[in-house]
Amino acid sequence: MKKVLKILGLGLAAIVVILIVTLVVINSSDIPSYEVETIAFEHKSSPEAIARGKKLSQMLCANCHMDMSTRKLTGKRMKDVPAEFGEIFSQNITQDETYGIGTWTDGELVYLLRTGIKRDGQYAPPYMAKLPHMADEDINAIIAFLRSDDRMVQAEQKADIPPKPSLLTKILCKVAFKPFPMPEETIPLPDTANTIELGKYLAHNLDCYSCHSADFKSNNYLDPPLSTGYFAGGNPTLDMEGRVKVTPNLTPDQETGIGSWSKEKFIQAVRFGQKEGEQALTYPMMPYIQLTEYEVGAIYDYLMTIPAINNKVERSIYN
C-alpha cells in the first residue's frame, strides 16, 4: 500500500512540475504567430465610402485608438481592459510610415480586420475587435477612411508602447482564442428595409453582444448567438478609472431586461446616453450619435426577437 501511495505521490509531483514548467514557458513566450496569407485587395474610395468608414471607425476603433493628446488614432493605454489581460496599449494606426500603417497594403489590413493576424504573423489578442461577419463594402469603407485626408488618420510620429499581455492572455491565445478564417464568399450588406436583419448586423458588427453577454472569455465570436448569456449582460467591464461597470441585460425579459422598454426609450439610451429618471449612461457605454434613429430602432427590433433571459443586473453608478 505504501508503495502504491509513493508511486501516486511521485506521479502527482511530476504532473505539478510539468504544469509549472509549461506555465513558465508560456509566460516567457509571446503571443502566438501564424502564417500570413497574401490577399489581393485594393480599396475603392469615394466621399460616401469615406463617410461610412469614418462612422464605423468612430464606433469600433476610436474608443481604443484615439489619443486625446494628439486627437488622432495614435494609440493609448487601455485602462478599461481588465487587469487579468495584462497592461495593454493600443497601436498607432495613422498613416505614419514608421510608427503607423502607412506602409501596410490594403490586403494586409483586410487580413488583420478579418482574421486578427497582423502582417508580421502575430495574432492580435482578444481585446482587439475582429470583423469576420462585416460586409465587404463596410470593410472597404473602413480602409477608405484609414487612407483618407481626415485629420484623425493623418500621419503622426508617435511610437507604439508594446503591450504586456498577462499569462492568462497568453494561455487563452494558445488554447481558446484563435485567428478567424478568411470568408470564402462575398458578405453582402443587410437589407436595410428588413429592420430585424439590419439590427442583427449592427448588433454583431458593432460588437454590442461582446460587452452585453456574460463574459468576454466565453463569447462565441464566429457565431455570436452561441455566446454564454447572449445579450443578458453581467459582463464586468471597466471604466477609464478601472472601476467595474457591469453591463445590463438587453434581452426582451420583462422583469430584468428591456422587454418593457419602448423603442423610443431604447433610442434615447443608445444614441444619447439618456435614461429616463436616472443618471445618464457613462463609459464604457458611449452614446452612438453616429447611428440614425432608424438604425438604433432596428437594433431594438432585433433584440425583441432573441430569447429572453431572466438575469437581474444591478446598475453600476459612481459619483
Side-chain angles (χ1 to χ4, degrees):
M1 184 65 180
K2 290 183 178 180
K3 185 176 182 180
V4 173
L5 291 175
K6 183 177 181 180
I7 293 173
L8 289 174
L10 290 173
L12 180 61
I15 292 173
V16 171
V17 170
I18 292 172
L19 179 61
I20 292 174
V21 170
T22 300
L23 293 176
V24 169
V25 170
I26 292 175
N27 194 44
S28 61
S29 65
D30 210 336
I31 298 293
S33 292
Y34 298 87
E35 184 177 346
V36 179
E37 181 181 341
T38 300
I39 302 297
F41 178 82
E42 186 172 343
H43 79 279
K44 296 178 177 61
S45 184
S46 68
E48 294 76 19
I50 292 171
R52 175 74 174 177
K54 181 173 183 176
K55 173 178 177 174
L56 292 169
S57 297
Q58 285 176 322
M59 293 184 285
L60 283 168
C61 311
N63 277 352
C64 293
H65 290 276
M66 174 65 81
D67 181 351
M68 298 309 293
S69 66
T70 63
R71 303 296 298 179
K72 297 180 182 180
L73 302 182
T74 49
K76 64 179 180 180
R77 167 78 184 275
M78 296 174 63
K79 296 180 180 179
D80 53 336
V81 172
E84 60 191 289
F85 285 120
E87 189 175 338
I88 307 305
F89 297 85
S90 59
Q91 308 299 288
N92 185 337
I93 58 171
T94 70
Q95 296 164 11
D96 187 76
E97 294 187 356
T98 302
Y99 301 112
I101 58 172
T103 61
W104 285 53
T105 67
D106 288 351
E108 289 169 341
L109 290 174
V110 169
Y111 199 62
L112 171 63
L113 293 172
R114 289 292 197 199
T115 70
I117 300 176
K118 303 176 185 179
R119 69 172 179 174
D120 62 1
Q122 191 174 62
Y123 175 64
Y127 31 80
M128 177 188 159
K130 287 84 174 176
L131 307 173
H133 307 293
M134 181 168 278
D136 293 352
E137 193 171 324
D138 277 346
I139 291 288
N140 177 80
I142 290 174
I143 295 175
F145 168 68
L146 292 174
R147 304 297 200 199
S148 74
D149 293 331
D150 193 281
R151 188 184 184 283
M152 285 173 60
V153 294
Q154 288 302 291
E156 183 78 23
Q157 290 191 337
K158 180 185 175 186
D160 291 331
I161 299 177
K164 300 175 183 176
S166 67
L167 173 60
L168 173 62
T169 296
K170 294 177 181 180
I171 292 174
L172 287 174
C173 288
K174 288 182 180 294
V175 302
F177 295 114
K178 301 287 185 177
F180 298 150
M182 277 292 294
E184 295 182 357
E185 299 178 354
T186 298
I187 302 178
L189 285 167
D191 177 4
T192 55
N194 183 331
T195 59
I196 294 176
E197 181 183 332
L198 174 61
K200 180 179 182 180
Y201 177 82
L202 293 171
H204 287 175
N205 286 287
L206 294 181
D207 234 17
C208 307
Y209 79 92
S210 178
C211 287
H212 284 277
S213 297
D215 195 284
F216 294 117
K217 297 188 290 296
S218 58
N219 283 334
N220 190 320
Y221 295 99
L222 286 178
D223 196 349
L226 296 182
S227 299
T228 302
Y230 179 63
F231 271 112
N235 192 351
T237 60
L238 302 179
D239 66 11
M240 295 305 282
E241 296 182 40
R243 300 175 300 191
V244 173
K245 293 285 188 72
V246 183
T247 57
N249 183 344
L250 298 185
T251 72
D253 183 67
Q254 290 284 331
E255 181 185 357
T256 64
I258 60 170
S260 62
W261 284 39
S262 67
K263 183 183 291 190
E264 290 70 24
K265 181 177 178 180
F266 184 78
I267 290 172
Q268 282 294 114
V270 175
R271 289 197 74 210
F272 306 111
Q274 300 300 316
K275 194 173 181 185
E276 185 179 356
E278 296 187 34
Q279 182 175 322
L281 304 184
T282 56
Y283 191 92
M285 179 57 204
M286 302 295 290
Y288 279 162
I289 57 174
Q290 299 86 358
L291 294 176
T292 65
E293 287 192 14
Y294 184 79
E295 289 170 324
V296 180
I299 295 173
Y300 174 88
D301 288 347
Y302 170 66
L303 293 176
M304 291 298 108
T305 71
I306 68 175
I309 299 176
N310 187 275
N311 181 40
K312 186 176 182 179
V313 179
E314 295 293 341
R315 187 179 174 199
S316 305
I317 299 178
Y318 299 101
N319 294 323

